[in-house]
Amino acid sequence: MQYDHILIRYGEMALKGKNIKKFILKLQENIQQRLRAFPNVKVKRTQGRMFIILNGADPDPIIEKCKDIFGIQSLSLAIKVNNEPEAVKEAALFALKNSKDVKKFKVTAKRIDKNFPIRSQDLNQVLGGHLLSNTEGFTVDVHNPDLEIKVEIRDEATYVTSSVIKGLGGLPVGTSGKSLLLLSGGIDSPVAGYLAMKRGVQLEAIHFHSPPFTSDRAKQKVMDLAKRLTAFGGSINVHVVPFTKLQQEVFKQMPDGYAMTIMRRMMMRVSERVCEQEEILSMTTGENLGQVASQTMESMNTINEVTNYPVIRPLVTMDKSDIIQISQQIGTYETSILPYEDCCTIFVPKSPKTKPKREKANYYESTKDFSDLIEEAVMGIEKVRITADTAMEPAFEDLF
Ligand code: ATP
Ligand code: MG
């Protein structure tokens, strides 16, 4: 005997009406997609349940993958047997014998198939007794068990499940539309992308690159971060913007105190153009109130003026230590702290305004026409598709 199924639990209680169907179908699709390296494994839905059918595959690496899939609340290994008392007993015994760190257990049986000869209540006792008399060192504890063995006698078969493994929760990626993540090489923006994905958002990313001031390694770092994020949400298109000319011009022509703010406004303008072209309805950033000069309330207000697209800022109120903790958990931290310069650190003005005003930014921008440079930056965008399981490849079919 062996575990042949994994039961997937999703938080359907939080969803209403026709969203449930969309949610479940997307979750099934995402799981299937993520497990495509296991060709024999199937994902199936039956009567309000979702199962991964292992077909002989080792469950451990599959469980590891599932722990990175948003929308799974928890999962359990399961055995499917026929609705026969002896088979059910044997499966429950297998579950107990193959558990780890368990002393106290309880059996919870549910009989849906009324043709099964033992009623739910009696079944708990019958199975509990069977387990106790065929093992040593276990006791039954119905109030505080280390393991609850669940037995469900359904019409088509019986499922016996063992310990509950916690999932990531959240919503399946792709159920909340798309957002364009402004991805730098820092700690914050990958975490912001992760948290947006947790709410079901599918990401594309945009990165502003200023060669030769920023190196290929700085760009590679961003690709590596995007790659890491694909573990949670599948492929990500990264739009790499050649930003050097526009950025240099901003820093040359605009007063020192406003150059940073205006450069950020340029980023928003270019990002909005990408959103329009790709039919993306929002942007996501790693901005965090009060962290640096460009992230004061005044600064956000002035930068945000140039777009009326929603800007999702998952980190805006978080403490840095909590952000770092998430980046460590999701495996982006080590890459983020690599020292390669990014385009915001090389042109740092001596005294950026911490309280820039909209009127002033508008006035300074009106003294110089940047539209050609913006156009050039947009036209020069290189779109790189980062997939979860293969090396980087350009998405030729989608190049502008
Ligand atoms: P991060 O750790 O994400 O770099 P940060 O704390 O360094 O953030 P800023 O440099 O002020 O903060 O950037 C704020 C946000 O602007 C970033 O989180 C990111 O979303 C976006 N951003 C900054 N630089 C770039 C870039 N070169 N390309 C794309 N987005 C960028
Ligand atoms: Mg940064």
PDB file of all heavy atoms in Angstrom, residues 182-190 206-209 264 267 284-287 291-292 294-295 320 342-344, ligand 1:
ATOM      1  N   LEU A 182       7.025  47.194 -11.215  1.00  0.00           N
ATOM      2  CA  LEU A 182       8.258  47.959 -11.431  1.00  0.00           C
ATOM      3  C   LEU A 182       9.343  47.263 -10.625  1.00  0.00           C
ATOM      4  O   LEU A 182       9.393  47.372  -9.401  1.00  0.00           O
ATOM      5  CB  LEU A 182       8.087  49.424 -11.004  1.00  0.00           C
ATOM      6  CG  LEU A 182       7.417  50.330 -12.049  1.00  0.00           C
ATOM      7  CD1 LEU A 182       5.932  50.049 -12.154  1.00  0.00           C
ATOM      8  CD2 LEU A 182       7.654  51.797 -11.737  1.00  0.00           C
ATOM      9  N   LEU A 183      10.165  46.517 -11.346  1.00  0.00           N
ATOM     10  CA  LEU A 183      11.115  45.632 -10.672  1.00  0.00           C
ATOM     11  C   LEU A 183      12.525  46.197 -10.748  1.00  0.00           C
ATOM     12  O   LEU A 183      13.115  46.311 -11.815  1.00  0.00           O
ATOM     13  CB  LEU A 183      11.053  44.243 -11.337  1.00  0.00           C
ATOM     14  CG  LEU A 183      11.902  43.127 -10.733  1.00  0.00           C
ATOM     15  CD1 LEU A 183      11.538  42.853  -9.280  1.00  0.00           C
ATOM     16  CD2 LEU A 183      11.755  41.844 -11.550  1.00  0.00           C
ATOM     17  N   SER A 184      13.049  46.577  -9.590  1.00  0.00           N
ATOM     18  CA  SER A 184      14.440  47.028  -9.522  1.00  0.00           C
ATOM     19  C   SER A 184      15.242  45.837  -9.032  1.00  0.00           C
ATOM     20  O   SER A 184      14.729  44.734  -8.914  1.00  0.00           O
ATOM     21  CB  SER A 184      14.549  48.188  -8.542  1.00  0.00           C
ATOM     22  OG  SER A 184      14.349  47.715  -7.230  1.00  0.00           O
ATOM     23  N   GLY A 185      16.492  46.048  -8.720  1.00  0.00           N
ATOM     24  CA  GLY A 185      17.277  44.927  -8.195  1.00  0.00           C
ATOM     25  C   GLY A 185      17.268  44.885  -6.680  1.00  0.00           C
ATOM     26  O   GLY A 185      17.993  44.111  -6.076  1.00  0.00           O
ATOM     27  N   GLY A 186      16.439  45.723  -6.065  1.00  0.00           N
ATOM     28  CA  GLY A 186      16.481  45.855  -4.601  1.00  0.00           C
ATOM     29  C   GLY A 186      15.711  44.775  -3.864  1.00  0.00           C
ATOM     30  O   GLY A 186      15.244  43.798  -4.446  1.00  0.00           O
ATOM     31  N   ILE A 187      15.576  44.990  -2.575  1.00  0.00           N
ATOM     32  CA  ILE A 187      14.890  44.014  -1.723  1.00  0.00           C
ATOM     33  C   ILE A 187      13.377  44.128  -1.873  1.00  0.00           C
ATOM     34  O   ILE A 187      12.658  43.126  -1.853  1.00  0.00           O
ATOM     35  CB  ILE A 187      15.282  44.242  -0.236  1.00  0.00           C
ATOM     36  CG1 ILE A 187      16.761  43.911  -0.026  1.00  0.00           C
ATOM     37  CG2 ILE A 187      14.410  43.402   0.702  1.00  0.00           C
ATOM     38  CD1 ILE A 187      17.299  44.320   1.331  1.00  0.00           C
ATOM     39  N   ASP A 188      12.893  45.347  -2.058  1.00  0.00           N
ATOM     40  CA  ASP A 188      11.463  45.591  -1.889  1.00  0.00           C
ATOM     41  C   ASP A 188      10.580  45.135  -3.059  1.00  0.00           C
ATOM     42  O   ASP A 188       9.550  44.498  -2.841  1.00  0.00           O
ATOM     43  CB  ASP A 188      11.212  47.081  -1.646  1.00  0.00           C
ATOM     44  CG  ASP A 188      11.913  47.553  -0.376  1.00  0.00           C
ATOM     45  OD1 ASP A 188      12.148  46.715   0.507  1.00  0.00           O
ATOM     46  OD2 ASP A 188      12.229  48.743  -0.289  1.00  0.00           O
ATOM     47  N   SER A 189      10.964  45.503  -4.270  1.00  0.00           N
ATOM     48  CA  SER A 189      10.026  45.240  -5.361  1.00  0.00           C
ATOM     49  C   SER A 189       9.731  43.744  -5.589  1.00  0.00           C
ATOM     50  O   SER A 189       8.570  43.409  -5.872  1.00  0.00           O
ATOM     51  CB  SER A 189      10.457  45.947  -6.653  1.00  0.00           C
ATOM     52  OG  SER A 189      11.831  45.901  -6.846  1.00  0.00           O
ATOM     53  N   PRO A 190      10.703  42.844  -5.432  1.00  0.00           N
ATOM     54  CA  PRO A 190      10.312  41.424  -5.574  1.00  0.00           C
ATOM     55  C   PRO A 190       9.297  40.988  -4.512  1.00  0.00           C
ATOM     56  O   PRO A 190       8.386  40.207  -4.810  1.00  0.00           O
ATOM     57  CB  PRO A 190      11.630  40.662  -5.390  1.00  0.00           C
ATOM     58  CG  PRO A 190      12.717  41.654  -5.592  1.00  0.00           C
ATOM     59  CD  PRO A 190      12.157  42.990  -5.233  1.00  0.00           C
ATOM     60  N   ILE A 206       8.604  45.416 -15.378  1.00  0.00           N
ATOM     61  CA  ILE A 206       9.321  46.408 -16.179  1.00  0.00           C
ATOM     62  C   ILE A 206      10.554  46.800 -15.393  1.00  0.00           C
ATOM     63  O   ILE A 206      10.509  46.966 -14.175  1.00  0.00           O
ATOM     64  CB  ILE A 206       8.421  47.629 -16.499  1.00  0.00           C
ATOM     65  CG1 ILE A 206       9.133  48.613 -17.437  1.00  0.00           C
ATOM     66  CG2 ILE A 206       7.954  48.351 -15.223  1.00  0.00           C
ATOM     67  CD1 ILE A 206       8.190  49.681 -18.031  1.00  0.00           C
ATOM     68  N   HIS A 207      11.667  46.878 -16.129  1.00  0.00           N
ATOM     69  CA  HIS A 207      12.909  47.273 -15.464  1.00  0.00           C
ATOM     70  C   HIS A 207      13.580  48.387 -16.267  1.00  0.00           C
ATOM     71  O   HIS A 207      13.705  48.290 -17.479  1.00  0.00           O
ATOM     72  CB  HIS A 207      13.845  46.081 -15.335  1.00  0.00           C
ATOM     73  CG  HIS A 207      15.165  46.458 -14.741  1.00  0.00           C
ATOM     74  ND1 HIS A 207      15.292  46.915 -13.454  1.00  0.00           N
ATOM     75  CD2 HIS A 207      16.425  46.490 -15.270  1.00  0.00           C
ATOM     76  CE1 HIS A 207      16.559  47.206 -13.205  1.00  0.00           C
ATOM     77  NE2 HIS A 207      17.265  46.955 -14.294  1.00  0.00           N
ATOM     78  N   PHE A 208      13.992  49.422 -15.556  1.00  0.00           N
ATOM     79  CA  PHE A 208      14.666  50.547 -16.201  1.00  0.00           C
ATOM     80  C   PHE A 208      16.173  50.357 -16.065  1.00  0.00           C
ATOM     81  O   PHE A 208      16.705  50.285 -14.966  1.00  0.00           O
ATOM     82  CB  PHE A 208      14.201  51.867 -15.565  1.00  0.00           C
ATOM     83  CG  PHE A 208      12.749  52.132 -15.830  1.00  0.00           C
ATOM     84  CD1 PHE A 208      11.764  51.606 -14.993  1.00  0.00           C
ATOM     85  CD2 PHE A 208      12.351  52.862 -16.946  1.00  0.00           C
ATOM     86  CE1 PHE A 208      10.413  51.809 -15.264  1.00  0.00           C
ATOM     87  CE2 PHE A 208      11.003  53.066 -17.224  1.00  0.00           C
ATOM     88  CZ  PHE A 208      10.039  52.545 -16.384  1.00  0.00           C
ATOM     89  N   HIS A 209      16.791  50.294 -17.246  1.00  0.00           N
ATOM     90  CA  HIS A 209      18.196  49.910 -17.305  1.00  0.00           C
ATOM     91  C   HIS A 209      18.958  51.058 -17.960  1.00  0.00           C
ATOM     92  O   HIS A 209      18.528  51.573 -18.990  1.00  0.00           O
ATOM     93  CB  HIS A 209      18.265  48.630 -18.162  1.00  0.00           C
ATOM     94  CG  HIS A 209      19.615  48.017 -18.256  1.00  0.00           C
ATOM     95  ND1 HIS A 209      20.436  47.835 -17.177  1.00  0.00           N
ATOM     96  CD2 HIS A 209      20.285  47.507 -19.327  1.00  0.00           C
ATOM     97  CE1 HIS A 209      21.555  47.245 -17.576  1.00  0.00           C
ATOM     98  NE2 HIS A 209      21.480  47.050 -18.875  1.00  0.00           N
ATOM     99  N   ARG A 264      11.321  59.673 -11.720  1.00  0.00           N
ATOM    100  CA  ARG A 264      10.269  58.723 -11.310  1.00  0.00           C
ATOM    101  C   ARG A 264       9.000  58.932 -12.116  1.00  0.00           C
ATOM    102  O   ARG A 264       8.282  57.978 -12.465  1.00  0.00           O
ATOM    103  CB  ARG A 264       9.915  58.921  -9.841  1.00  0.00           C
ATOM    104  CG  ARG A 264      11.030  58.647  -8.915  1.00  0.00           C
ATOM    105  CD  ARG A 264      10.944  57.216  -8.493  1.00  0.00           C
ATOM    106  NE  ARG A 264      12.056  56.908  -7.634  1.00  0.00           N
ATOM    107  CZ  ARG A 264      12.520  55.699  -7.436  1.00  0.00           C
ATOM    108  NH1 ARG A 264      11.941  54.686  -8.027  1.00  0.00           N
ATOM    109  NH2 ARG A 264      13.541  55.501  -6.652  1.00  0.00           N
ATOM    110  N   MET A 267       9.407  57.255 -15.279  1.00  0.00           N
ATOM    111  CA  MET A 267       9.207  55.799 -15.141  1.00  0.00           C
ATOM    112  C   MET A 267       7.719  55.462 -15.204  1.00  0.00           C
ATOM    113  O   MET A 267       7.322  54.483 -15.851  1.00  0.00           O
ATOM    114  CB  MET A 267       9.764  55.304 -13.810  1.00  0.00           C
ATOM    115  CG  MET A 267      11.266  55.201 -13.730  1.00  0.00           C
ATOM    116  SD  MET A 267      11.701  54.440 -12.138  1.00  0.00           S
ATOM    117  CE  MET A 267      13.468  54.266 -12.322  1.00  0.00           C
ATOM    118  N   THR A 284       2.443  47.836  -9.989  1.00  0.00           N
ATOM    119  CA  THR A 284       2.788  47.467  -8.607  1.00  0.00           C
ATOM    120  C   THR A 284       4.208  47.935  -8.332  1.00  0.00           C
ATOM    121  O   THR A 284       5.097  47.747  -9.170  1.00  0.00           O
ATOM    122  CB  THR A 284       2.691  45.934  -8.429  1.00  0.00           C
ATOM    123  OG1 THR A 284       1.344  45.510  -8.672  1.00  0.00           O
ATOM    124  CG2 THR A 284       3.087  45.512  -7.014  1.00  0.00           C
ATOM    125  N   THR A 285       4.418  48.567  -7.185  1.00  0.00           N
ATOM    126  CA  THR A 285       5.778  48.994  -6.825  1.00  0.00           C
ATOM    127  C   THR A 285       6.130  48.522  -5.418  1.00  0.00           C
ATOM    128  O   THR A 285       5.270  48.117  -4.646  1.00  0.00           O
ATOM    129  CB  THR A 285       5.926  50.532  -6.836  1.00  0.00           C
ATOM    130  OG1 THR A 285       5.268  51.066  -5.676  1.00  0.00           O
ATOM    131  CG2 THR A 285       5.363  51.161  -8.086  1.00  0.00           C
ATOM    132  N   GLY A 286       7.421  48.628  -5.109  1.00  0.00           N
ATOM    133  CA  GLY A 286       7.899  48.273  -3.775  1.00  0.00           C
ATOM    134  C   GLY A 286       7.991  49.487  -2.872  1.00  0.00           C
ATOM    135  O   GLY A 286       8.716  49.461  -1.882  1.00  0.00           O
ATOM    136  N   GLU A 287       7.277  50.541  -3.206  1.00  0.00           N
ATOM    137  CA  GLU A 287       7.370  51.762  -2.385  1.00  0.00           C
ATOM    138  C   GLU A 287       6.896  51.513  -0.959  1.00  0.00           C
ATOM    139  O   GLU A 287       5.988  50.730  -0.712  1.00  0.00           O
ATOM    140  CB  GLU A 287       6.526  52.874  -3.015  1.00  0.00           C
ATOM    141  CG  GLU A 287       7.162  53.456  -4.260  1.00  0.00           C
ATOM    142  CD  GLU A 287       6.180  54.313  -5.032  1.00  0.00           C
ATOM    143  OE1 GLU A 287       5.192  53.753  -5.552  1.00  0.00           O
ATOM    144  OE2 GLU A 287       6.386  55.522  -5.090  1.00  0.00           O
ATOM    145  N   GLN A 291      10.727  55.516   3.629  1.00  0.00           N
ATOM    146  CA  GLN A 291      11.992  54.792   3.598  1.00  0.00           C
ATOM    147  C   GLN A 291      13.141  55.643   3.094  1.00  0.00           C
ATOM    148  O   GLN A 291      14.204  55.665   3.677  1.00  0.00           O
ATOM    149  CB  GLN A 291      11.833  53.571   2.706  1.00  0.00           C
ATOM    150  CG  GLN A 291      12.471  52.347   3.284  1.00  0.00           C
ATOM    151  CD  GLN A 291      12.373  51.185   2.300  1.00  0.00           C
ATOM    152  OE1 GLN A 291      12.845  51.252   1.173  1.00  0.00           O
ATOM    153  NE2 GLN A 291      11.761  50.133   2.742  1.00  0.00           N
ATOM    154  N   VAL A 292      12.916  56.320   2.008  1.00  0.00           N
ATOM    155  CA  VAL A 292      13.951  57.200   1.450  1.00  0.00           C
ATOM    156  C   VAL A 292      13.285  58.480   0.964  1.00  0.00           C
ATOM    157  O   VAL A 292      12.054  58.588   0.950  1.00  0.00           O
ATOM    158  CB  VAL A 292      14.690  56.534   0.253  1.00  0.00           C
ATOM    159  CG1 VAL A 292      15.602  55.426   0.735  1.00  0.00           C
ATOM    160  CG2 VAL A 292      13.712  56.010  -0.772  1.00  0.00           C
ATOM    161  N   SER A 294      12.578  59.667  -1.808  1.00  0.00           N
ATOM    162  CA  SER A 294      11.580  59.618  -2.883  1.00  0.00           C
ATOM    163  C   SER A 294      10.283  58.974  -2.411  1.00  0.00           C
ATOM    164  O   SER A 294       9.356  58.807  -3.180  1.00  0.00           O
ATOM    165  CB  SER A 294      12.140  58.832  -4.059  1.00  0.00           C
ATOM    166  OG  SER A 294      12.362  57.494  -3.670  1.00  0.00           O
ATOM    167  N   GLN A 295      10.215  58.566  -1.156  1.00  0.00           N
ATOM    168  CA  GLN A 295       9.026  57.853  -0.703  1.00  0.00           C
ATOM    169  C   GLN A 295       8.323  58.532   0.471  1.00  0.00           C
ATOM    170  O   GLN A 295       7.755  57.877   1.333  1.00  0.00           O
ATOM    171  CB  GLN A 295       9.406  56.409  -0.373  1.00  0.00           C
ATOM    172  CG  GLN A 295       9.908  55.703  -1.625  1.00  0.00           C
ATOM    173  CD  GLN A 295      10.243  54.252  -1.402  1.00  0.00           C
ATOM    174  OE1 GLN A 295       9.702  53.592  -0.547  1.00  0.00           O
ATOM    175  NE2 GLN A 295      11.155  53.753  -2.201  1.00  0.00           N
ATOM    176  N   LYS A 320      10.560  47.603   7.566  1.00  0.00           N
ATOM    177  CA  LYS A 320      11.625  47.029   6.740  1.00  0.00           C
ATOM    178  C   LYS A 320      11.987  45.610   7.199  1.00  0.00           C
ATOM    179  O   LYS A 320      12.219  44.723   6.370  1.00  0.00           O
ATOM    180  CB  LYS A 320      12.868  47.932   6.796  1.00  0.00           C
ATOM    181  CG  LYS A 320      13.954  47.548   5.817  1.00  0.00           C
ATOM    182  CD  LYS A 320      13.573  47.917   4.380  1.00  0.00           C
ATOM    183  CE  LYS A 320      14.610  47.436   3.381  1.00  0.00           C
ATOM    184  NZ  LYS A 320      14.288  47.841   2.008  1.00  0.00           N
ATOM    185  N   ASP A 342      22.070  50.157  -9.300  1.00  0.00           N
ATOM    186  CA  ASP A 342      20.899  50.287 -10.177  1.00  0.00           C
ATOM    187  C   ASP A 342      20.725  51.734 -10.590  1.00  0.00           C
ATOM    188  O   ASP A 342      21.428  52.624 -10.123  1.00  0.00           O
ATOM    189  CB  ASP A 342      19.651  49.606  -9.577  1.00  0.00           C
ATOM    190  CG  ASP A 342      18.777  50.491  -8.724  1.00  0.00           C
ATOM    191  OD1 ASP A 342      18.794  51.718  -8.910  1.00  0.00           O
ATOM    192  OD2 ASP A 342      18.048  49.932  -7.885  1.00  0.00           O
ATOM    193  N   CYS A 343      19.804  51.942 -11.521  1.00  0.00           N
ATOM    194  CA  CYS A 343      19.763  53.237 -12.186  1.00  0.00           C
ATOM    195  C   CYS A 343      19.391  54.365 -11.234  1.00  0.00           C
ATOM    196  O   CYS A 343      19.598  55.524 -11.525  1.00  0.00           O
ATOM    197  CB  CYS A 343      18.802  53.200 -13.366  1.00  0.00           C
ATOM    198  SG  CYS A 343      17.085  53.220 -12.868  1.00  0.00           S
ATOM    199  N   CYS A 344      18.842  54.021 -10.077  1.00  0.00           N
ATOM    200  CA  CYS A 344      18.456  55.074  -9.143  1.00  0.00           C
ATOM    201  C   CYS A 344      19.602  55.451  -8.233  1.00  0.00           C
ATOM    202  O   CYS A 344      19.586  56.488  -7.592  1.00  0.00           O
ATOM    203  CB  CYS A 344      17.278  54.624  -8.293  1.00  0.00           C
ATOM    204  SG  CYS A 344      15.905  54.185  -9.313  1.00  0.00           S
TER     205      CYS A 344
HETATM  206  P1  ATP B   1      13.640  48.367  -4.119  1.00  0.00           P
HETATM  207  O1  ATP B   1      14.204  47.650  -2.935  1.00  0.00           O
HETATM  208  O2  ATP B   1      12.473  47.670  -4.734  1.00  0.00           O
HETATM  209  O3  ATP B   1      14.687  48.759  -5.096  1.00  0.00           O
HETATM  210  P2  ATP B   1      13.855  50.856  -2.851  1.00  0.00           P
HETATM  211  O4  ATP B   1      13.595  50.803  -1.392  1.00  0.00           O
HETATM  212  O5  ATP B   1      15.261  50.844  -3.325  1.00  0.00           O
HETATM  213  O6  ATP B   1      13.033  49.704  -3.542  1.00  0.00           O
HETATM  214  P3  ATP B   1      13.373  53.085  -4.561  1.00  0.00           P
HETATM  215  O7  ATP B   1      14.691  52.945  -5.179  1.00  0.00           O
HETATM  216  O8  ATP B   1      12.939  54.412  -4.078  1.00  0.00           O
HETATM  217  O9  ATP B   1      13.119  52.145  -3.343  1.00  0.00           O
HETATM  218  O10 ATP B   1      12.298  52.566  -5.582  1.00  0.00           O
HETATM  219  C1  ATP B   1      10.950  52.532  -5.286  1.00  0.00           C
HETATM  220  C2  ATP B   1      10.254  51.601  -6.262  1.00  0.00           C
HETATM  221  O11 ATP B   1      10.401  52.106  -7.585  1.00  0.00           O
HETATM  222  C3  ATP B   1      10.873  50.237  -6.296  1.00  0.00           C
HETATM  223  O12 ATP B   1      10.372  49.393  -5.277  1.00  0.00           O
HETATM  224  C4  ATP B   1      10.481  49.759  -7.651  1.00  0.00           C
HETATM  225  O13 ATP B   1       9.130  49.294  -7.655  1.00  0.00           O
HETATM  226  C5  ATP B   1      10.571  51.023  -8.476  1.00  0.00           C
HETATM  227  N1  ATP B   1      11.905  51.122  -9.131  1.00  0.00           N
HETATM  228  C6  ATP B   1      13.003  51.739  -8.684  1.00  0.00           C
HETATM  229  N2  ATP B   1      14.017  51.599  -9.538  1.00  0.00           N
HETATM  230  C7  ATP B   1      13.571  50.861 -10.573  1.00  0.00           C
HETATM  231  C8  ATP B   1      14.146  50.358 -11.794  1.00  0.00           C
HETATM  232  N3  ATP B   1      15.415  50.581 -12.133  1.00  0.00           N
HETATM  233  N4  ATP B   1      13.348  49.639 -12.608  1.00  0.00           N
HETATM  234  C9  ATP B   1      12.074  49.374 -12.286  1.00  0.00           C
HETATM  235  N5  ATP B   1      11.491  49.818 -11.161  1.00  0.00           N
HETATM  236  C10 ATP B   1      12.218  50.557 -10.308  1.00  0.00           C
END
